């Protein structure tokens, strides 16, 4: 992409309305624009990151055996009357009437709808287990939408729903999602610590939140430092291996980790040596629930068991805050100059900087490199504008692409490009002849 033809409305100054760094940086980089409190347009740069995150989530859900569907954002109220949550959900639910005066709502979550879909499609234990998920916009009329996409009213969530015959089988489905979450967040360069959690309006018996450390997080967190030393990428396990999956869950739940809602100071002191006690703040990027028959019973989602008897299915639901992750990753990865994107979610891999746009040789060299990188499938943002180098460097640092390739007349004379690593700040002269091999 040529920057001269792109849409990336950069703000020179910090926007006043933003309280936290990720919100500031997302506005400054022209990633998002607020349309109403807690509702955002995703501009091209932000949209690319959102899609990258979504794709990682999707790949790891698929790998864990979940099947993708897509349910509508607007739901009929009657579904929610069956589960009893229509009144219980309160003011957070955006209620709408259609032209026939029918009660509708903008979905804050989909337990009811998916249970109804499942009920119609599956009749026998032979069709179990199943896990269905979608990645869809939700609306929650939060009292205090704030921190940009971190606590929005309209936000993108991945929500998965598992269906099993027995509690034990349901536990395995829960464990699979637990492990897939560790992998999903690790691929984005995050260590999201699983913590036992309250179940809130979703309800149920077992629940874990996944939190990343950040000063601006909304929850207080208390955990064993040992978590941070664990290998978060080593569980390339077979999801059908019940024991192996359970062992990873066991490993990641045996150490102390709790949000302020569940924290027990005496237990923390007893179980964690003083030097290993981490207290801080965290951002909840995922939340999983096992609620058994809470929805299947009232909604009649029953299957015929091996003994011929009809039984309600055992279920769980599993959420990831896809749009929240964009802000969360920035909170976890930035410096004074701007964002530092982990490569897996970066909007482009390389920023190509032309130091002397208009100079025939520099333009020609940049064109060649730009086209060659594109041909190789490397995503590159080419700053071909006629601007001063200082401004170009500042913009590239601000938007945080992992690599910068800097081309100017002086280097060209010696046949070299300068390559800068955004994360480490290291600069290196690379011969033009070998530049492509680097990416
Ligand atoms: N039905 C369950 C699981 S699918 C559910 O809705 N869980 S949840 O309420 O915990 O939401 C799942 C995830 O969505 C949260 O972990 C969080 O990362 C994200 N999320 C929740 N509320 C918001 C919000 N207002 N803005 C941005 N992300 C949010």
């Amino acid at each position: 992409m040529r920057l001269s033809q792109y849409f990336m409305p950069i703000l020179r100054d910090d926007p006043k309305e933003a309280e936290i760094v990720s919100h500031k940086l997302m506005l400054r980089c022209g990633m998002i624009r607020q349309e109403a409190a807690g509702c955002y347009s995703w501009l091209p740069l932000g949209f690319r990151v959102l899609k990258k995150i979504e794709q990682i989530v999707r790949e790891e859900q698929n790998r864990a055996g979940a099947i993708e569907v897509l349910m509508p954002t607007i739901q009929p109220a009657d579904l929610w009357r069956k589960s009893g949550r229509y009144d219980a959900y309160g003011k957070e639910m955006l209620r709408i009437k259609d032209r026939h005066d029918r009660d509708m709502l903008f979905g804050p979550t989909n337990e009811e709808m998916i249970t109804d879909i499942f009920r119609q499609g599956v009749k026998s234990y032979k069709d179990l287990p199943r896990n269905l998920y979608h990645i869809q916009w939700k609306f929650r009329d939060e009292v205090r939408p704030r921190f940009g996409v971190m606590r929005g009213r309209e936000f993108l969530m991945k929500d998965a729903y598992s269906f099993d015959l027995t509690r034990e089988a349901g536990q395995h489905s829960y464990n699979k999602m637990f492990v897939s979450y560790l992998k999903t967040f690790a691929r984005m360069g995050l260590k999201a610590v699983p913590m036992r959690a309250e179940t809130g309006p979703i309800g149920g018996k077992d629940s874990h939140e996944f939190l990343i450390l950040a000063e601006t997080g909304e929850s207080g967190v208390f955990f064993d430092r040992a978590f941070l030393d664990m290998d978060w990428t080593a569980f390339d396990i077979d999801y059908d291996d019940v024991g192996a999956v359970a062992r990873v869950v066991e490993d990641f739940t045996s150490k102390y980790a709790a949000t302020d809602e569940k924290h027990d100071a005496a237990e923390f002191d007893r179980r964690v040596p003083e030097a290993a006690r981490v207290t801080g703040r965290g951002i909840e990027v995922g939340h999983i629930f096992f609620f058994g028959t809470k929805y299947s019973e009232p909604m009649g989602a029953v299957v015929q068991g091996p003994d011929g008897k009809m039984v309600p299915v055992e279920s769980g639901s599993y959420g990831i805050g896809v749009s929240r992750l964009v802000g969360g990753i920035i909170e976890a990865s930035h410096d004074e100059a701007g964002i530092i994107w982990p490569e897996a979610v970066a909007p482009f891999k390389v920023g190509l900087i032309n130091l002397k746009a208009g100079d025939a040789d520099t333009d020609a060299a940049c064109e060649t490199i730009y086209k060659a990188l594109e041909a190789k499938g490397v995503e590159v943002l080419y700053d071909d504008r006629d601007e001063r180098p200082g401004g170009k460097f500042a913009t590239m640092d601000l938007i945080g692409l992992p690599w910068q390739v800097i081309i100017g007349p002086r280097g060209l004379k010696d046949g070299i490009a300068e390559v800068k690593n955004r994360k480490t700040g290291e600069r290196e002269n690379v011969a033009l002849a070998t530049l492509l091999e680097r990416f």
Side-chain angles (χ1 to χ4, degrees):
M1 177 57 65
R2 291 167 204 275
L3 195 42
S4 64
Q5 290 165 25
Y6 203 36
F7 187 78
M8 195 173 84
I10 298 276
L11 301 182
R12 211 176 277 274
D13 301 308
D14 272 345
K16 282 189 197 65
E17 70 266 35
E19 294 169 65
I20 63 168
V21 67
S22 60
H23 189 195
K24 272 184 199 144
L25 287 170
M26 288 181 77
L27 290 170
R28 280 200 59 201
C29 291
M31 293 176 66
I32 51 168
R33 192 181 85 126
Q34 182 174 309
E35 303 299 353
C39 300
Y40 293 88
S41 288
W42 290 79
L43 305 184
L45 196 71
F47 188 60
R48 285 180 82 99
V49 178
L50 188 68
K51 288 284 151 184
K52 292 254 163 99
I53 293 173
E54 186 184 316
Q55 187 55 23
I56 292 175
V57 169
R58 173 176 291 119
E59 284 169 17
E60 293 305 327
Q61 288 292 293
N62 293 347
R63 211 190 299 277
I67 308 164
E68 189 168 11
V69 299
L70 184 60
M71 292 173 267
T73 54
I74 307 292
Q75 307 185 17
D78 281 346
L79 262 182
W80 288 67
R81 293 199 173 98
K82 278 191 208 150
S83 73
R85 277 209 296 184
Y86 187 63
D87 294 323
Y89 221 93
K91 288 199 163 180
E92 269 197 13
M93 182 186 275
L94 180 64
R95 295 156 208 260
I96 305 165
K97 273 197 195 295
D98 71 7
R99 69 198 297 162
H100 307 292
D101 218 28
R102 274 192 287 259
D103 291 324
M104 312 289 281
L105 57 100
F106 196 121
T109 177
N110 284 65
E111 278 83 3
E112 284 76 1
M113 189 173 280
I114 199 77
T115 303
D116 203 49
I117 289 174
F118 175 84
R119 183 180 65 83
Q120 285 198 344
V122 166
K123 306 279 181 221
S124 155
Y125 75 97
K126 289 178 190 152
D127 300 321
L128 297 178
R130 287 293 182 274
N131 182 332
L132 302 174
Y133 77 97
H134 72 164
I135 300 173
Q136 176 65 293
W137 294 91
K138 306 289 187 288
F139 194 94
R140 292 182 186 173
D141 207 349
E142 303 270 354
V143 198
R144 272 194 77 197
R146 56 181 187 156
F147 299 162
V149 299
M150 211 77 93
R151 180 162 296 282
R153 290 198 296 170
E154 194 180 42
F155 59 97
L156 188 59
M157 191 201 285
K158 182 286 297 182
D159 38 328
Y161 304 87
S162 65
F163 302 94
D164 284 278
L165 183 66
T166 63
R167 284 219 64 173
E168 299 74 60
Q171 185 67 50
H172 178 54
S173 293
Y174 183 88
N175 290 352
K176 282 202 281 191
M177 284 292 112
F178 187 109
V179 174
S180 82
Y181 276 34
L182 296 174
K183 291 186 69 154
T184 303
F185 299 127
R187 277 186 65 184
M188 299 172 194
L190 299 171
K191 288 184 173 177
V193 180
M195 307 195 184
R196 192 162 284 284
E198 292 292 347
T199 54
I202 309 294
K205 309 171 180 98
D206 202 1
S207 172
H208 287 91
E209 289 175 356
F210 291 73
L211 290 104
I212 56 173
L213 271 185
E215 280 163 32
T216 49
E218 291 188 292
S219 321
V221 294
F222 305 82
F223 65 91
D224 191 329
R225 184 174 302 282
F227 267 112
L228 301 177
D229 303 328
M230 293 173 83
D231 188 348
W232 292 64
T233 49
F235 20 85
D236 218 1
I237 54 169
D238 174 1
Y239 280 109
D240 293 329
D241 186 336
V242 176
V245 174
R247 275 191 295 282
V248 176
V249 175
E250 171 63 25
D251 203 22
F252 274 84
T253 51
S254 59
K255 294 172 195 61
Y256 189 92
T259 61
D260 34 20
E261 284 176 341
K262 286 265 182 181
H263 180 55
D264 176 340
E267 190 191 343
F268 190 44
D269 290 356
R270 194 176 65 247
R271 286 181 51 195
V272 188
E274 199 169 341
R277 285 176 208 152
V278 181
T279 64
R281 304 203 66 78
I283 299 168
E284 180 201 316
V285 289
H287 198 162
I288 60 177
F289 303 82
F290 185 62
F291 44 70
T293 58
K294 175 174 164 151
Y295 300 94
S296 61
E297 226 160 322
M299 299 190 66
V302 290
V303 294
Q304 188 168 43
D307 56 3
K309 284 202 194 103
M310 301 303 282
V311 285
V313 290
E314 298 276 345
S315 281
S317 72
Y318 315 90
I320 289 182
V322 176
S323 50
R324 173 178 287 185
L325 272 164
V326 182
I329 292 169
I330 297 172
E331 289 294 325
S333 185
H334 67 270
D335 62 14
E336 281 88 76
I339 303 171
I340 303 173
W341 289 115
E343 226 166 282
V345 300
F348 297 90
K349 183 170 176 176
V350 175
L352 175 62
I353 301 178
N354 181 336
L355 288 181
K356 203 166 182 192
D359 172 69
D361 291 342
T362 315
D363 287 352
C366 285
E367 262 323 295
T368 308
I369 295 166
Y370 174 60
K371 291 205 175 113
L373 285 172
E374 292 254 284
K376 232 184 136 177
V378 178
E379 292 171 310
V380 43
L381 183 64
Y382 171 25
D383 191 347
D384 57 340
R385 299 167 309 158
D386 184 10
E387 299 259 331
R388 289 222 305 279
K392 291 192 171 186
F393 291 139
T395 299
M396 274 305 171
D397 280 351
L398 180 69
I399 66 170
L401 309 184
W403 298 98
Q404 296 173 15
V405 172
I406 302 154
I407 305 289
R410 223 177 302 158
L412 281 181
K413 250 191 275 156
D414 303 328
I416 55 166
E418 194 179 11
V419 174
K420 177 179 156 181
N421 180 306
R422 174 67 181 88
K423 187 170 174 189
T424 63
E426 271 172 311
R427 293 159 178 277
E428 198 187 329
N429 286 329
V430 176
L432 287 174
T434 61
L435 183 64
L436 280 191
E437 294 159 23
R438 292 291 299 266
F439 303 107

